[in-house]
Amino acid sequence: MNSVGGVNILKLVLLLAFSLTSHAQNLTAPEITGAPANSFVALCYHDVSNGFVGNEFSIRRKDLVDQFDYLKAHYNVVSLQDIIDANQGKKNLPPKAVLITVDDGLGSFYEIVYPLLKEYKFPAVFAVVTKWTEDGAAPDYGFKDSNPKMASWKHLKEMMKSGLVDVVSHTHDLHQGHIFNPQGNQAAVAGFFKYDPVTKTYQTEEEMSSRVEFDLRKSNEQLKKHLGKDNTVIVWPYGQTNGVSKKAAEKAGMKIQMTLRPGFNNASDISEIGRGLVMAAMDIPQFATAVEKAFVDQNPVRMVRVDLDSIWKNNEAETEQGLGDLLEHGLDLSPSAVLVQAVSDSGEAYFVTDKMKMRGDYLNRASHTLKNRARVAWSYGRLPQSFLKNTDTAKAALRDLAKFTDIDGLFFEVSAKDNLSEIPFESLMATVRSIRPAMKFGLIGQQPTNSTLFDYVILNTKQLDKAKTTQPESISLSKEIIALPKDYKSDASHLLAQGYLNLFYDVNFKGFQPDADFKSLFTIRPIFPPHKGEAK
């Protein structure tokens, strides 16, 4: 399918890579440890078929039965109302609680899933795109012969009356992609700012907010009209949202917002519920591991450096050729993360902003393409030490960066002489997270005294040895990413023996030809690949 419909192509993600083969009835679910009371895992399903699997998001009925058998034997499936009641202090959730959600409003839910819910006495949340329900069919959904039919309003009313199914909004007409950079890539409407190739401008915050709020109010009106339901739940298409969309949803009356995010949820705060994506390639052992770990990928970080200065040319064709060469390297190696230059060596931004001199709008293109075509799980932006000299300018520019790039986090570079207490990191992070709430942050070059402030810290081996001596209490094996020199082998062996598993190859990846040993060290396939909501 091409990107015109924006439905299936936005849903292309990495397939899960496991090799376990045992069956549900032979498995014993390990006890969930470390999860506080009222914790729960939320599952996200899409289409279910009796035989042929239409795409990565369509699972077979027999597989769903196996999964339901496993849940019944090892977990407690709870309703959305159970979670709301626990949030309000009316009850406690049972241990090992699981919430089932199914997206898109497809007819297969009524025909296949609903009878199984009745058989197993499982409650579920069913998120419908109300325009699709009105039209009776989704846009091009990626099936070879025909689009799937939708559950009708009559079906929805019947399932609601059963007490097993909560019907909620999946927007009215935002389940689509739009162009979000000059190169024509597409991303989820509610998650990213639209780029207009005619005017060569981006959507404003006001325009995005207005569009989202109008759509969600329209969806709620349809749910009220046809089902008599006062809806307060939005399930974001592709799991994608941002700070602007979240606030617009709150204005539209949405008290609960569901995304795609790994990790346990807790009934103490249900303003956002993260869900794990159940995909066609999952067998029962994979499913069991995913639920046990709440879809959190515990693979180590293996990161490589990407210098846009070595790719960017004044000629667009040459720049794209450079990116193409980089993609070939990425596909060949498959590191788990890339650290991409966000500001040139001469101090010019590779993202759209009027707060500082700009070289080109290319960080977004490079990051999005590396994630969605080179299968890199995470893309982070690298900000040089000079960027932090004027914190007011930095804060304003960072807001633009958050709005107009598809990156997962930012790393601030500092020198050994910098006094970290004089840099307002928390204020800078808050600015970014007002647009991208899930953004991660890292520090390069120093071990921070406050180890909770950053998600990651990149140190070379000398800096690590110094930190071990001067502030050993701040060292965290899970947070430290150790920068390897060009001649990496001896350092890598020594670090791995000490338990430092997160590695960063601090050499520009473009033009680098990894040998077999490097590939063995840096190739990481994510256990539970993040769902990016990509377009092209």
Side-chain angles (χ1 to χ4, degrees):
M1 171 190 162
N2 60 32
S3 64
V4 175
V7 176
N8 187 55
I9 224 142
L10 279 165
K11 290 193 166 197
L12 292 177
V13 297
L14 307 179
L15 293 176
L16 295 167
F18 272 79
S19 59
L20 300 172
T21 57
S22 56
H23 297 289
Q25 58 268 32
N26 297 323
L27 292 173
T28 300
E31 289 296 322
I32 297 176
T33 58
N38 284 325
S39 294
F40 65 96
V41 177
L43 310 181
C44 172
Y45 291 91
H46 287 83
D47 193 20
V48 180
S49 66
N50 280 311
F52 173 72
V53 177
N55 58 28
E56 296 95 330
F57 306 93
S58 174
I59 71 170
R60 295 176 300 178
R61 181 188 184 278
K62 68 178 292 293
D63 294 329
L64 184 63
V65 167
D66 288 343
Q67 292 172 9
F68 277 13
D69 284 341
Y70 183 79
L71 291 175
K72 187 172 184 178
H74 302 295
Y75 288 89
N76 293 297
V77 176
V78 297
S79 69
L80 182 59
Q81 189 59 52
D82 289 330
I83 292 168
I84 293 171
D85 288 346
N87 173 259
Q88 296 173 351
K90 297 177 181 178
K91 67 189 322 183
N92 290 320
L93 293 181
K96 302 175 72 170
V98 170
L99 176 69
I100 295 172
T101 72
V102 183
D103 289 3
D104 293 355
L106 300 177
S108 61
F109 182 88
Y110 178 76
E111 295 170 355
I112 300 174
V113 181
Y114 178 51
L116 290 175
L117 295 177
K118 291 190 289 186
E119 178 182 339
Y120 285 83
K121 296 181 173 57
F122 281 177
V125 176
F126 191 37
V128 302
V129 183
T130 49
K131 185 178 187 302
W132 293 2
T133 307
E134 285 283 281
D135 295 345
D140 188 349
Y141 204 72
F143 289 81
K144 182 177 180 181
D145 299 318
S146 64
N147 294 326
K149 60 183 178 180
M150 312 304 293
S152 67
W153 291 116
K154 180 181 178 181
H155 293 155
L156 296 178
K157 185 174 288 188
E158 175 190 336
M159 291 188 290
M160 278 184 59
K161 286 182 177 179
S162 74
L164 289 175
V165 179
D166 278 303
V167 178
V168 302
S169 174
H170 203 29
T171 75
H172 179 67
D173 192 25
L174 296 183
H175 200 303
Q176 56 185 290
H178 60 195
I179 293 173
F180 83 127
N181 61 28
Q183 295 79 21
N185 292 110
Q186 291 194 13
V189 167
F192 297 92
F193 287 79
K194 182 179 180 179
Y195 178 80
D196 187 334
V198 176
T199 63
K200 301 186 187 306
T201 59
Y202 282 89
Q203 185 180 37
T204 67
E205 292 183 39
E206 293 74 17
E207 288 168 341
M208 170 175 273
S209 177
S210 177
R211 180 178 182 182
V212 170
E213 184 182 354
F214 177 84
D215 180 277
L216 298 188
R217 289 189 184 280
K218 177 71 171 177
S219 182
N220 278 354
E221 288 171 4
Q222 293 294 303
L223 293 172
K224 180 70 171 178
K225 174 183 175 182
H226 293 282
L227 304 178
K229 177 183 177 66
D230 293 316
N231 178 61
T232 59
V233 181
I234 175 62
V235 177
W236 291 108
Y238 319 110
Q240 293 283 352
T241 183
N242 61 34
V244 174
S245 294
K246 285 169 71 73
K247 286 185 177 180
E250 290 168 3
K251 289 174 65 178
M254 302 300 189
K255 296 178 181 179
I256 299 173
Q257 303 188 34
M258 296 191 188
T259 63
L260 289 174
R261 169 185 55 76
F264 289 99
N265 300 282
N266 195 278
S268 61
D269 181 4
I270 55 174
S271 57
E272 180 187 321
I273 294 177
R275 304 173 299 152
L277 188 63
V278 181
M279 299 178 67
M282 275 185 169
D283 60 21
I284 285 299
Q286 294 165 0
F287 178 79
T289 302
V291 178
E292 178 202 347
K293 297 183 181 300
F295 292 81
V296 174
D297 185 349
Q298 297 179 324
N299 271 327
V301 175
R302 298 296 160 83
M303 181 189 292
V304 297
R305 195 182 94 204
V306 173
D307 293 347
L308 291 185
D309 280 355
S310 65
I311 297 173
W312 179 259
K313 309 292 181 186
N314 289 327
N315 180 288
E316 182 178 348
E318 290 183 27
T319 302
E320 287 289 284
Q321 180 60 52
L323 180 61
D325 294 342
L326 187 66
L327 291 178
E328 290 296 323
H329 283 304
L331 281 168
D332 186 42
L333 180 61
S334 295
S336 63
V338 289
L339 189 59
V340 186
Q341 183 181 24
V343 176
S344 72
D345 287 346
S346 58
E348 299 165 310
Y350 278 113
F351 55 90
V352 171
T353 183
D354 59 0
K355 311 302 187 299
M356 59 187 291
K357 191 172 181 181
M358 184 180 149
R359 175 165 291 191
D361 185 359
Y362 211 69
L363 174 62
N364 188 17
R365 166 68 166 174
S367 174
H368 185 81
T369 307
L370 283 164
K371 288 195 292 183
N372 298 317
R373 293 181 61 189
R375 299 184 178 182
V376 175
W378 308 104
S379 177
Y380 301 109
R382 181 174 186 164
L383 295 167
Q385 179 189 7
S386 59
F387 180 82
L388 298 173
K389 288 183 177 179
N390 185 324
T391 54
D392 288 337
T393 299
K395 186 182 294 186
L398 282 175
R399 188 172 181 85
D400 289 337
L401 186 154
K403 287 165 60 175
F404 305 128
T405 63
D406 179 13
I407 60 173
D408 303 296
L410 289 167
F411 280 70
F412 300 103
E413 192 166 11
V414 297
S415 74
K417 297 179 180 179
D418 284 326
N419 184 345
L420 299 187
S421 64
E422 296 178 353
I423 303 174
F425 287 114
E426 291 183 77
S427 176
L428 295 171
M429 294 175 185
T431 296
V432 174
R433 285 182 172 144
S434 68
I435 299 294
R436 302 284 293 280
M439 192 80 83
K440 293 184 179 296
F441 291 95
L443 190 69
I444 305 173
Q446 264 200 59
Q447 182 67 30
T449 303
N450 181 1
S451 60
T452 63
L453 187 58
F454 295 95
D455 298 286
Y456 295 110
V457 178
I458 294 180
L459 303 173
N460 60 35
T461 52
K462 289 183 178 179
Q463 292 164 341
L464 176 63
D465 289 340
K466 179 182 178 181
K468 286 180 183 178
T469 303
T470 59
Q471 48 191 124
E473 70 287 346
S474 67
I475 299 291
S476 168
L477 291 177
S478 63
K479 288 190 174 187
E480 308 299 329
I481 303 176
I482 311 306
L484 298 175
K486 187 172 184 179
D487 185 10
Y488 65 91
K489 292 184 180 180
S490 61
D491 280 2
S493 298
H494 182 62
L495 290 164
L496 292 174
Q498 295 180 72
Y500 292 96
L501 303 182
N502 298 326
L503 303 176
F504 167 55
Y505 192 54
D506 197 12
V507 174
N508 184 26
F509 193 52
K510 184 178 183 297
F512 169 64
Q513 297 295 332
D515 58 22
D517 289 338
F518 191 91
K519 289 181 180 180
S520 177
L521 182 64
F522 268 76
T523 297
I524 295 288
R525 291 293 188 189
I527 299 173
F528 310 118
H531 181 54
K532 299 296 182 184
E534 64 271 22
K536 333 173 169 169

